[in-house]
Amino acid sequence: MNTVAVYYDNPYLKELDSTVIEVLDNALVLDRTIFYPEGGGQRGDCGFISTSRVTSTVHDSDGRILHLVDNPHAFSKGQKVHISVDWAQRYRLMKAHTAQHMISGILYHQERTGTVAIHLGDDFLTVETDSPSLSRDLLYRVEDSVNAAIASSRSVSSRILSHEDAERLNLRRPIKVSSDVRIVTIDGVDEIACGGLHVASTSEIGCVQYDCQEVLRGHVRTVWRYAEGAQSQRRMEHEALREAGALLSCPAEDIVRSVSSLIERENSLKSALREKDAMIASLMLAGGKKVFASPVEISSYQKLCSEDRTFFAAYEGPKGLSWLMSADEDTFKAFRIRFPQLGAKGGGRAFCWQGSAGCDMKTLLETAEEILA
Ligand SMILES: [Zn+2]
């Protein structure tokens, strides 16, 4: 006996009375269900069978609809149960699925771009196209067309056709099943063979928003926000822009220019600081001390290392002690033997060695004095 797929007759039904017809090791099979099994890019429904949580719903290889539960043996064959679907998740997926048909349909009919793969997530959906590149303008055009169709409350309907009749419709995507075909029509927007669940009217979606794109396997994959997810994303971005504008004391349209000039200024300050540190490093060496605690980062000494100079500089920064030594290989080897005592590590090549140390500054400098003596 097959499970009656009540979700096709009424995708809006949230609860139903049903009967257990099979008890498996990890799942229950029911005589009728409102739980949609995973397939066609739409994940399986969650919810409850009586008080037991259904973690997902899948088809098995025999075509049975399995409701995955932790404790199937708490049930018995023939037992009457009350089932309820996780409606928030299901309704979100119905909106996502319908939005995806609209995006793919408009991409195809308006922009001659096919769809090769889709993914429906909670916060966004993706449409992988057959195109190697798509302009932002084209995708904004698609966004506008989809939103205009959403606002005009197009009806979404389905019907079953014979395979032969379905082939005659010349759909944008080849039909995958060999038997009768379920055709889903969004009035004036798209028609496609699909076994998924959709909303009854496009107005239920609210809106879609093009987010970004990436190139995968030579194809552009587009990312879209939809319904409440699009609205909350837009609000979050609006707040971020408003706060950034307040920090920078400029209107939103000037934020990029303002941040660019800040980055430029930061880079020139960093470069001036590096020059100043290099000057201090030269002065430290001019003082004639061979082993010393440096007031500037040890990277400032890299260019000063040479065969003619032997010195050891240590710097205590926020990340701990670091050191640099200008010396030949034998001197470094003698120093390296002391690494375990100093909690030190590092390397390099003659005449520039550098690393870190876990001991205190005094111990490090005393050891270096011994080595360089
Ligand atoms: Zn669909």
Side-chain angles (χ1 to χ4, degrees):
M1 175 180 165
N2 284 331
T3 306
V4 178
V6 179
Y7 48 80
Y8 278 139
D9 302 327
N10 184 359
Y12 289 85
L13 210 53
K14 303 175 187 72
E15 294 181 37
L16 184 73
D17 288 322
S18 184
T19 305
V20 176
I21 55 173
E22 272 184 272
V23 177
L24 306 173
D25 280 342
N26 63 343
L28 295 170
V29 183
L30 306 176
D31 69 336
R32 53 193 203 136
T33 191
I34 47 174
F35 283 72
Y36 181 80
E38 184 180 339
Q42 184 173 331
R43 72 164 178 257
D45 278 335
C46 303
F48 285 92
I49 295 179
S50 298
T51 53
S52 289
R53 183 176 287 279
V54 177
T55 52
S56 187
T57 310
V58 296
H59 269 297
D60 73 356
S61 51
D62 301 326
R64 291 181 301 188
I65 297 173
L66 308 186
H67 303 77
L68 306 184
V69 291
D70 290 335
N71 58 341
H73 294 292
F75 295 85
S76 53
K77 199 172 162 179
Q79 185 177 337
K80 304 279 182 213
V81 287
H82 187 73
I83 67 175
S84 56
V85 74
D86 178 344
W87 179 247
Q89 179 195 305
R90 153 73 92 68
Y91 192 39
R92 194 161 52 231
L93 286 174
M94 284 162 62
K95 291 179 192 176
H97 205 143
T98 313
Q100 177 269 313
H101 281 235
M102 298 179 81
I103 294 164
S104 292
I106 287 172
L107 268 170
Y108 183 80
H109 296 292
Q110 186 177 297
E111 310 292 345
R112 293 283 135 206
T113 301
T115 294
V116 295
I118 62 146
H119 169 76
L120 307 176
D122 284 338
D123 300 323
F124 59 86
L125 65 93
T126 67
V127 174
E128 186 180 336
T129 69
D130 59 5
S131 174
S133 74
L134 290 174
S135 72
R136 222 165 29 175
D137 284 348
L138 180 151
L139 290 162
Y140 283 142
R141 211 156 55 220
V142 172
E143 180 190 288
D144 287 344
S145 300
V146 172
N147 282 326
I150 285 173
S152 61
S153 301
R154 307 296 177 90
S155 70
V156 184
S157 58
S158 66
R159 64 194 195 280
I160 307 291
L161 290 186
S162 71
H163 195 272
E164 207 182 1
D165 287 344
E167 285 290 2
R168 269 194 223 112
L169 293 174
N170 237 337
L171 302 173
R172 64 176 161 84
R173 201 179 53 189
I175 294 167
K176 289 176 193 158
V177 294
S178 52
S179 51
D180 286 353
V181 187
R182 182 167 179 263
I183 302 294
V184 175
T185 307
I186 302 175
D187 186 30
V189 178
D190 187 51
E191 192 158 62
I192 191 84
C194 181
L197 301 182
H198 313 84
V199 291
S201 165
T202 59
S203 61
E204 292 172 61
I205 300 167
C207 69
V208 301
Q209 190 183 358
Y210 165 65
D211 192 90
C212 61
Q213 59 170 279
E214 58 185 337
V215 177
L216 272 186
R217 302 175 282 267
H219 294 150
V220 172
R221 186 169 81 151
T222 56
V223 180
W224 304 78
R225 306 269 168 187
Y226 64 92
E228 292 80 4
Q231 198 177 46
S232 55
Q233 177 75 8
R234 199 164 39 219
R235 282 181 186 160
M236 187 271 285
E237 286 168 355
H238 171 77
E239 285 305 314
L241 281 179
R242 207 184 51 76
E243 281 174 34
L247 285 172
L248 296 163
S249 305
C250 69
E253 60 268 32
D254 288 342
I255 287 176
V256 172
R257 201 167 49 218
S258 187
V259 169
S260 299
S261 82
L262 272 182
I263 291 172
E264 227 169 83
R265 218 173 104 212
E266 196 202 355
N267 286 341
S268 80
L269 280 173
K270 272 184 185 165
S271 138
L273 198 62
R274 269 197 303 272
E275 274 175 38
K276 196 181 102 246
D277 284 357
M279 209 183 293
I280 292 171
S282 296
L283 288 171
M284 290 301 292
L285 292 187
K289 262 195 170 179
K290 269 191 172 179
V291 175
F292 53 88
S294 167
V296 294
E297 285 191 35
I298 52 148
S299 57
S300 314
Y301 296 87
Q302 278 166 351
K303 285 183 181 164
L304 300 169
C305 294
S306 79
E307 197 175 351
D308 311 325
R309 281 194 182 118
T310 301
F311 67 89
F312 184 96
Y315 173 73
E316 190 147 29
K319 287 179 189 164
L321 268 186
S322 52
W323 55 265
L324 177 141
M325 181 163 73
S326 174
D328 60 22
E329 192 150 8
D330 286 343
T331 310
F332 174 64
K333 277 181 183 164
F335 181 54
R336 199 173 55 190
I337 292 169
R338 313 287 283 274
F339 271 15
Q341 290 159 257
L342 302 171
K345 52 188 176 183
R349 59 183 166 173
F351 295 83
C352 187
W353 314 91
Q354 61 189 85
S356 60
C359 61
D360 58 75
M361 177 68 93
K362 188 166 169 278
T363 313
L364 181 65
L365 292 181
E366 278 171 3
T367 310
E369 290 274 10
E370 271 177 51
I371 304 294
L372 296 189

